[in-house]
Amino acid sequence: MSARSLSRCALVCFLSTVFLLGGCQALQTGSQNAGTTPSSEQQHTSVKKPEEKQDVSQCDPRVITRTEVVYKPVEIGNKLVIGAIEQATFENLGLTMEARIDTGATTSSLGATDIRLFERDGRQWVSFRLNGEQNDKDSLVVERQVARNVMIKRHGKESQQRPVIKLKVRIGKIEQMAEFTLTDRSQFEYPVLVGRNILTDMAIVDVSHEYLVSKKKIADGKQP
């Protein structure tokens, strides 16, 4: 065989070897890539989690939560806890009026005008118009027998005699027949003043609260 033929055969063998080696390497690389799975970190970053919804009422400062405090009647040692202001109901008169609770007053008082004493069947009676809810010329006129008269000392003024009557009154669950001094209370905010003659052994007054055993009336006279 000539030298030229040997050189040609050597070149063909060399090219064949290079081709085979390159193909095997490519096949090996491809098989490695096919069998390899992405790491957990790559999977974690590639998958997007849905955004969690937050409670707007807890984190949004624009949301205002209002809490209504409801007081229930409380008794301490069989005594009812009442507020500084309560509703007093006079069932015989068919009226409910706001009352100032005053432990410093000995006797309760009822706002009245046009107080007139007269005699009936040999006994002293009194007629008057109620202050407060009805205080004009067409207001309720009440007639009651006088239980007694009291002399009221007034600072810088002459003493004044005032009639005392008995009325059935109810404040919460407290209900009793009690004495009320008749006096003009039109200059005061509340037409009724409840004193110790009703409170003694019956109630404890919490002056830091109002309407603990009754509801406050609104402007038109209806219960809220």
Side-chain angles (χ1 to χ4, degrees):
M1 185 178 294
S2 62
R4 181 177 294 181
S5 298
L6 290 173
S7 299
R8 186 177 294 176
C9 289
L11 178 61
V12 172
C13 292
F14 175 76
L15 293 176
S16 299
T17 302
V18 172
F19 176 79
L20 289 174
L21 290 176
C24 292
Q25 186 176 3
L27 289 174
Q28 185 178 3
T29 304
S31 62
Q32 290 178 353
N33 292 336
T36 303
T37 57
S39 63
S40 58
E41 182 178 359
Q42 292 175 343
Q43 289 180 348
H44 179 73
T45 56
S46 61
V47 179
K48 294 184 178 180
K49 293 185 178 180
E51 295 182 358
E52 297 180 356
K53 294 184 179 180
Q54 297 180 346
D55 188 357
V56 178
S57 62
Q58 294 182 358
C59 62
D60 192 345
R62 296 172 297 177
V63 178
I64 300 176
T65 303
R66 299 185 184 275
T67 302
E68 180 180 358
V69 179
V70 179
Y71 294 98
K72 294 182 179 180
V74 176
E75 291 186 16
I76 300 178
N78 295 326
K79 295 181 181 179
L80 186 65
V81 179
I82 64 177
I85 307 296
E86 295 289 351
Q87 294 288 342
T89 300
F90 300 90
E91 295 181 354
N92 294 339
L93 302 179
L95 291 175
T96 298
M97 295 181 286
E98 290 185 323
R100 162 75 70 180
I101 311 300
D102 186 1
T103 58
T106 303
T107 307
S108 303
S109 63
L110 179 66
T113 57
D114 295 337
I115 301 173
R116 298 178 183 179
L117 296 172
F118 65 96
E119 187 175 320
R120 177 181 291 174
D121 298 331
R123 297 180 180 275
Q124 191 178 37
W125 282 62
V126 62
S127 69
F128 57 92
R129 295 181 185 274
L130 289 173
N131 284 151
E133 298 181 357
Q134 300 177 356
N135 55 7
D136 56 11
K137 63 180 181 179
D138 297 323
S139 62
L140 179 64
V141 177
V142 181
E143 293 183 351
R144 284 292 185 277
Q145 184 176 333
V146 176
R148 60 189 178 95
N149 291 286
V150 294
M151 189 65 67
I152 304 298
K153 295 181 179 181
R154 299 185 297 175
H155 182 70
K157 297 181 180 180
E158 295 182 359
S159 298
Q160 185 182 47
Q161 181 175 294
R162 295 176 182 172
V164 178
I165 63 172
K166 289 185 177 182
L167 291 173
K168 190 175 183 180
V169 61
R170 177 168 52 83
I171 303 173
K173 62 183 299 184
I174 299 174
E175 186 173 353
Q176 60 177 285
M177 185 69 72
E179 290 187 341
F180 287 86
T181 301
L182 298 180
T183 182
D184 187 0
R185 294 183 56 84
S186 57
Q187 72 275 20
F188 296 102
E189 184 176 359
Y190 302 101
V192 180
L193 183 141
V194 174
R196 294 196 303 273
N197 64 316
I198 295 177
L199 303 174
T200 301
D201 298 328
M202 299 296 294
I204 297 175
V205 183
D206 184 353
V207 296
S208 63
H209 292 91
E210 300 177 354
Y211 304 101
L212 292 180
V213 297
S214 60
K215 292 183 179 181
K216 182 179 181 179
K217 284 191 173 183
I218 55 179
D220 59 359
K222 298 180 181 179
Q223 295 287 354

